[in-house]
Amino acid sequence: MQACALDVAQRFLTAVGFTHGLFNMEFLHDSATDRLTVIEFNPRMASQYSDLYLRVLGIDMHVIGLALAHGRDPKALPRGAPTAARRPASSTAYSTRPRGRIGPKPRRPAPLPAPTRTGCSSPTPNRQP
């Protein structure tokens, strides 16, 4: 699923012309169809995850943001040692919703370019009118 999410994110970023900076993207996974749908894209750091990145991966997202703002390559920045215990860590949200629609039927946006990897359904971003 991570490879599919990466493929969707890369195609989405290309389609919207996002080429530089921090962002976060949220997906909805439909387990019945195994389809990923982009439900939110934010062209900024997701500060609620910055502590998670620092503790689990040793990556300081604030330092990366400053490096990008100053034209420096974030890959050249040193990584700190992870401080989280050696156990799986994630940040997820789970919700159930009743079958059927709530509210008016949304407009159907234009589809993104075709997937470059096999096994991924073509996502549909949730664009607001």
Side-chain angles (χ1 to χ4, degrees):
M1 189 55 56
Q2 283 183 324
C4 188
L6 177 61
D7 179 59
V8 169
Q10 288 172 334
R11 289 185 294 122
F12 183 91
L13 293 172
T14 299
V16 299
F18 190 88
T19 60
H20 184 80
L22 297 172
F23 71 94
N24 79 302
M25 185 176 283
E26 292 184 33
F27 299 93
L28 176 66
H29 177 249
D30 183 339
S31 59
T33 62
D34 206 33
R35 181 182 174 99
L36 280 179
T37 302
V38 175
I39 59 171
E40 185 174 356
F41 170 74
N42 296 299
R44 63 179 182 276
M45 177 180 67
S47 61
Q48 68 269 30
Y49 301 123
S50 62
D51 184 57
L52 182 70
Y53 286 120
L54 186 59
R55 291 186 300 121
V56 174
L57 300 173
I59 297 172
D60 188 330
M61 296 303 286
H62 295 91
V63 171
I64 288 176
L66 287 170
L68 287 169
H70 288 276
R72 294 178 30 221
D73 184 355
K75 289 181 184 178
L77 296 172
R79 272 192 179 188
T83 59
R86 297 250 178 224
R87 61 177 184 251
S90 67
S91 178
T92 59
Y94 177 77
S95 68
T96 58
R97 59 187 171 126
R99 293 279 180 206
R101 288 204 192 280
I102 298 173
K105 183 176 179 180
R107 288 184 354 192
R108 183 137 182 106
L112 291 177
T116 56
R117 296 187 179 112
T118 59
C120 288
S121 298
S122 182
T124 305
N126 181 10
R127 296 184 185 143
Q128 299 298 320

